[in-house]
Amino acid sequence: MILFRNPRTRRRRLGVAAAAAGLLAALLTAQPAVATPDPGDGPVAEQEVSESTRAEVREAVEDGEIPGRHEIVHSDNIQHLAHVPKDVLQGTNSDLAFQGRYAFAGNYDGFRIFDISDPKAPKTIAQVLCPGSQNDISVSGDLLFLSTDSSRSDSSCNSTTQPATEKSSWEGMKVFDISDKRNPRYVAAVETACGSHTHTLVPERRNVYVYVSSYSPNAAYPDCRPPHDGISVIKVPRGAPEKAAVVGFPVLFPGEGPDGGGNPGGPTNPGVSKTTGCHDITVLAHKDLAAGACMGDGILFSVKDPERPKVIDRVQDNVNFAFWHSATFNQKADKVVFTDELGGGGAATCNAKIGPNRGADGIYDIVGKGDKRKLVFRSYFKIPRHQADTENCVAHNGSLIPVRGKDIMVQAWYQGGVSVWDFTDSAHPEEIAYFDRGPLTTDTIKSGGSWSAYYYNGYIYSNEYARGFDVLKIDDRRTAPARRVHLRELNVQTQPDYFD
């Protein structure tokens, strides 16, 4: 592990944005960095587009139909308070977690810790080089958890890339001690089947359970062979995190045959991903409930016994959903929003050709009680602003904005920007605010945009895939009551009881 710190800050202006905080890093170790990102850990390669598409995008920019390259546009009720560009860690920015006055930002090259006590001027206090996609991140007490979903030579932060066909290759969960935020300390590693694409914490007083989501097994991979129809459960003792270990692999999709019982995908269901595991899980701990976005399936399950989760209901959408990506409950736990990551996050899907129902959110009501609860589809939501055909855009990570009696969510849409929308009426959702940048390029599809956009203690924080870390503030009567809600910690996939 190589740790970077930032002894001073500088300020500059970025286009039409407000003053942005830039950060100058100093390397703390005398040894050169030997860790290297996995080739598969970098941004999706640029995709060529036709000359006619390039001409259409340029014309749309000139006519003002879409913002120009890097130009910032937003609704009147959104303020852009700060932008912090990438620094030492030049990989893809990924997920976010929060604790007290700190924000923790994942990056395919490691993670970065910000002091956000002044949201208008976030300060970097640590950057840790520890490559391995996606470096999905969460925190609980003095522990930080990091997912590795690329084949590495070993579990260290100095590992190099290695084929998954080699038995000695490593993928899984890493655990850090963050009792000293300026000097995170790597304390444990747990290998998991097929690695860890994402993970979800189920924290208890003495232990933290970690649900590890991974997928895409292959008979040629010694540590990731089919069927892979469940999740790994890791138990981490808070007092002895070095004893972290896998305690189970509950099967969520039992069935006959080599691939288990999930959605078979194509050709049975053309254009739909075959279910070979889960992409992401959100736990609503105070309700003992969880929702899983599992490639070709959406599931609702009980986590009363965290080591033995039990599926309550399962739904599919073989018309408009290609890849069930993530899930968000409303506060009352009578609705759940599932996202569809059509095109894997690297395609232009926010346009008239794709339409309003694909690459969108699916809103489901939860009806019934106990183990008889069912997921009932109500509607789709997609941002109402068409994006350029050179912008990767699709539904991605978001969180609730806690307003009692209302269901309001902020959400990332890659180069579609950040959207705030109301789904109180689950059949008629509507956008109420947005923040967007113009395309990274008008000549190719170059991946970028907001990976995660989350509301935390009065502000919206966005980890921008390619450009950096943003802080936004919404000023709207519909979201104003949320300013009274303050959390000590937030991992969005471990959804809190905001009003307890």
Side-chain angles (χ1 to χ4, degrees), residues 9-30:
T9 64
R10 64 182 186 274
R11 294 175 187 265
R12 65 179 183 140
R13 295 190 66 82
L14 180 66
V16 299
L23 297 145
L24 183 64
L27 183 61
L28 283 188
T29 173

Side-chain angles (χ1 to χ4, degrees), residues 333-346:
D334 59 6
K335 300 186 186 105
V336 62
V337 174
F338 288 102
T339 66
D340 171 29
E341 194 183 38
L342 175 68

Side-chain angles (χ1 to χ4, degrees), residues 98-102 139 456-457 486-490 500:
F98 304 89
Q99 187 181 86
R101 68 176 191 269
Y102 301 103
V139 295
Y456 177 69
N457 293 352
H486 280 258
L487 302 177
R488 288 175 290 183
E489 193 171 88
L490 177 64
D500 182 8

Side-chain angles (χ1 to χ4, degrees), residues 195-200 211-215 231-232 278-281:
S196 175
H197 193 71
T198 66
H199 67 271
T200 303
Y211 289 170
V212 176
S213 295
S214 56
Y215 52 93
I231 57 174
S232 297
C278 289
H279 180 277
D280 214 339
I281 291 169

Side-chain angles (χ1 to χ4, degrees), residues 264-468:
T268 303
N269 297 314
V272 177
S273 296
K274 179 169 73 172
T275 298
T276 59
C278 289
H279 180 277
D280 214 339
I281 291 169
T282 294
V283 168
L284 199 60
H286 68 285
K287 296 287 189 179
D288 292 326
L289 201 60
C294 303
M295 305 182 72
D297 295 87
I299 59 173
L300 187 70
F301 57 103
S302 167
V303 292
K304 284 184 179 179
D305 181 347
E307 292 189 23
R308 298 171 183 83
K310 176 184 176 182
V311 175
I312 296 172
D313 194 28
R314 169 183 162 197
V315 290
Q316 296 178 355
D317 180 346
N318 294 319
V319 175
N320 288 313
F321 260 46
F323 187 94
W324 296 67
H325 177 276
S326 52
T328 303
F329 289 100
N330 68 336
Q331 176 66 20
K332 291 174 64 178
D334 59 6
K335 300 186 186 105
V336 62
V337 174
F338 288 102
T339 66
D340 171 29
E341 194 183 38
L342 175 68
T349 72
C350 298
N351 51 32
K353 178 181 178 181
I354 298 298
N357 296 337
R358 300 174 62 215
D361 296 314
I363 306 165
Y364 287 75
D365 285 353
I366 302 173
V367 299
K369 295 182 179 180
D371 289 351
K372 296 186 181 298
R373 282 173 285 189
K374 297 291 183 182
L375 293 164
V376 178
F377 174 77
R378 293 303 187 203
S379 67
Y380 298 106
F381 171 78
K382 193 171 184 180
I383 55 173
R385 292 158 285 108
H386 286 166
Q387 304 294 303
D389 284 343
T390 58
E391 292 182 283
N392 61 307
C393 176
V394 75
H396 214 238
N397 295 344
S399 77
L400 288 186
I401 296 180
V403 177
R404 195 182 296 273
K406 295 287 185 180
D407 299 324
I408 301 175
M409 183 174 174
V410 59
Q411 186 175 3
W413 288 78
Y414 286 120
Q415 285 196 74
V418 176
S419 175
V420 180
W421 58 289
D422 187 324
F423 62 104
T424 306
D425 180 348
S426 55
H428 300 95
E430 62 173 345
E431 185 177 74
I432 62 176
Y434 70 89
F435 171 88
D436 191 12
R437 283 186 173 90
L440 283 164
T441 173
T442 58
D443 297 322
T444 61
I445 298 179
K446 183 177 181 180
S447 291
S450 181
W451 179 290
S452 298
Y454 299 147
Y455 183 91
Y456 177 69
N457 293 352
Y459 299 89
I460 294 168
Y461 297 90
S462 168
N463 214 17
E464 227 270 10
Y465 190 134
R467 287 176 275 210

Side-chain angles (χ1 to χ4, degrees), residues 48-60 348 388-391 442-445:
E48 294 296 325
V49 297
S50 68
E51 178 53 42
S52 61
T53 295
R54 291 195 288 268
E56 288 173 4
V57 172
R58 288 193 292 268
E59 183 179 353
D389 284 343
T390 58
E391 292 182 283
T442 58
D443 297 322
T444 61
I445 298 179

